[in-house]
Amino acid sequence: MGAMRFPATPTDGDSPMSSFDKDDIGWTPIMEEAQRATRVLHPEMLELPRPARRRIITVANQKGGVGKTTSTVNLAAGLALHGLNVLVIDLDPQGNASTALGVEHRSGVPSVYEVLLGEISIADAAARSTQSKNLWCVPATIDLAGSEIELVTMVAREARLKEALNSEAVEQIAPDYIFIDCPPSLGLLTVNALVAAQEVLIPIQCEYYALEGLGQLLRNIELVQSHLNPSLWVSTILLTMYDARTKLADQVSAEVRSHFGDLTLRTVIPRSVKISEAPGFGQTVLTYDPGSRGSMSYLDAAREIAERGAERKTA
């Protein structure tokens, strides 16, 4: 096998990676993976476009185990690592997003529960994540489990979170992106998330029964659009838990892309042990194992989301 040929010196203005032709040096998948890993380890090398206005994205799917919370925290971390200010609101009483972002969420800690009841502001409840100086989280405590009963008797109960996000207190954090992680249900907490958001991101796992129950979620989104939030729309479909060894993953991927078209991100998230392990260490996969396939996939998905937002801005 012949030796790979590199140019003696890069031309003016070229980066080391762009100063040679891929075909000339025998470009390989391993080299491509190495380049992607470098972007994770050195995020300053890649600049993501800042949105023209704040994007509020609710991540929803009433099915459990589809990678909803995992996708929320890793997409948020991917954007934050590249200089964008990101706020994650953990609206799931289990508090898994809070755990993954390294934010305290024991009972008694200022949380989204007090925010929904109007007792404190978003800024009072938000804590900086250990993952990035640009990443904040409003944690969920076990107190949130009973909040739906308390919200029932409140005025404008479906808009409590929207009210909190419209307050001046949010400007203390000045996020470019707000991600809202919903519980695996279609109850009042999820409705609050849909009313407060502009966009919905739906993670769909590449497994059997992937689309089961999705129709009900889409009908609920339509109801919220009709009665509570006409500006809401499904902007993104993210395929998760993709296993390239199975035909089923390809079949589900093809079916989802056929149904949702361009709403589906090109990037798919692989089934990965590293992604599953990371929350146990209070981390996202981007900091737990930056060079892993899962980490690079979430970084690619975050970049795609940011670039799509920029395209809509210029359209």
Side-chain angles (χ1 to χ4, degrees), residues 161-311:
L161 183 58
K162 180 179 182 179
E163 236 177 81
L165 290 178
N166 285 340
S167 69
E168 292 181 6
V170 178
E171 298 308 322
Q172 294 178 37
I173 302 168
D176 299 300
Y177 285 84
I178 297 176
F179 284 90
I180 307 172
D181 183 38
C182 296
S185 69
L186 294 175
L188 197 47
L189 289 175
T190 299
V191 172
N192 260 269
L194 294 174
V195 172
Q198 305 147 353
E199 307 175 39
V200 182
L201 184 154
I202 304 175
I204 299 176
Q205 82 278 33
C206 297
E207 295 180 354
Y208 198 56
Y209 293 139
L211 301 180
E212 190 180 68
L214 195 57
Q216 185 59 52
L217 173 61
L218 295 175
R219 282 191 290 275
N220 278 36
I221 291 172
E222 287 175 4
L223 285 171
V224 172
Q225 287 172 326
S226 301
H227 303 288
L228 299 165
N229 184 5
S231 62
L232 182 69
W233 66 298
V234 177
S235 66
T236 311
I237 304 293
L238 176 64
L239 290 164
T240 64
M241 303 181 186
Y242 180 85
D243 188 342
R245 298 170 298 178
T246 67
K247 287 184 179 179
L248 177 62
D250 284 331
Q251 290 169 353
V252 172
S253 175
E255 187 176 354
V256 170
R257 292 185 190 282
S258 171
H259 185 77
F260 290 102
D262 291 340
L263 295 181
T264 311
L265 294 183
R266 295 186 301 275
T267 303
V268 296
I269 308 302
R271 181 174 286 282
S272 163
V273 172
K274 297 296 183 183
I275 292 176
S276 302
E277 286 177 350
F281 293 86
Q283 297 180 55
T284 63
V285 73
L286 273 76
T287 54
Y288 177 66
D289 191 347
S292 67
R293 287 188 309 125
S295 177
M296 291 185 283
S297 296
Y298 271 117
L299 181 64
D300 287 342
R303 186 178 71 247
E304 211 175 326
I305 288 171
E307 289 174 349
R308 285 186 174 201
E311 286 170 8

Side-chain angles (χ1 to χ4, degrees), residues 154-165:
M154 290 190 170
V155 176
R157 61 194 179 193
E158 304 91 350
R160 303 294 296 184
L161 183 58
K162 180 179 182 179
E163 236 177 81
L165 290 178

Side-chain angles (χ1 to χ4, degrees), residues 15-122:
S15 68
M17 196 58 71
S18 63
S19 59
F20 49 79
D21 188 271
K22 294 178 183 179
D23 295 331
D24 288 345
I25 66 167
W27 185 258
T28 67
I30 293 176
M31 293 177 67
E32 186 170 348
E33 291 295 301
Q35 183 183 6
R36 294 169 72 204
T38 300
R39 292 202 303 266
V40 181
L41 292 165
H42 303 284
E44 67 278 1
M45 293 176 63
L46 175 66
E47 288 188 7
L48 296 181
R50 197 174 296 276
R53 66 188 182 98
R54 182 171 300 140
R55 293 178 67 183
I56 305 177
I57 303 173
T58 284
V59 184
N61 193 329
Q62 77 270 26
K63 287 187 69 177
V66 300
K68 179 174 51 58
T69 297
T70 300
S71 296
T72 300
V73 298
N74 284 294
L75 290 173
L79 293 167
L81 285 171
H82 293 92
L84 298 170
N85 291 330
V86 185
L87 172 65
V88 173
I89 297 176
D90 189 353
L91 216 55
D92 187 343
Q94 297 177 83
N96 292 335
S98 308
T99 299
L101 294 175
V103 172
E104 184 65 61
H105 60 100
R106 57 184 168 76
S107 185
V109 167
S111 70
V112 72
Y113 170 72
E114 289 83 9
V115 171
L116 291 173
L117 296 184
E119 296 175 359
I120 61 175
S121 71
I122 286 280

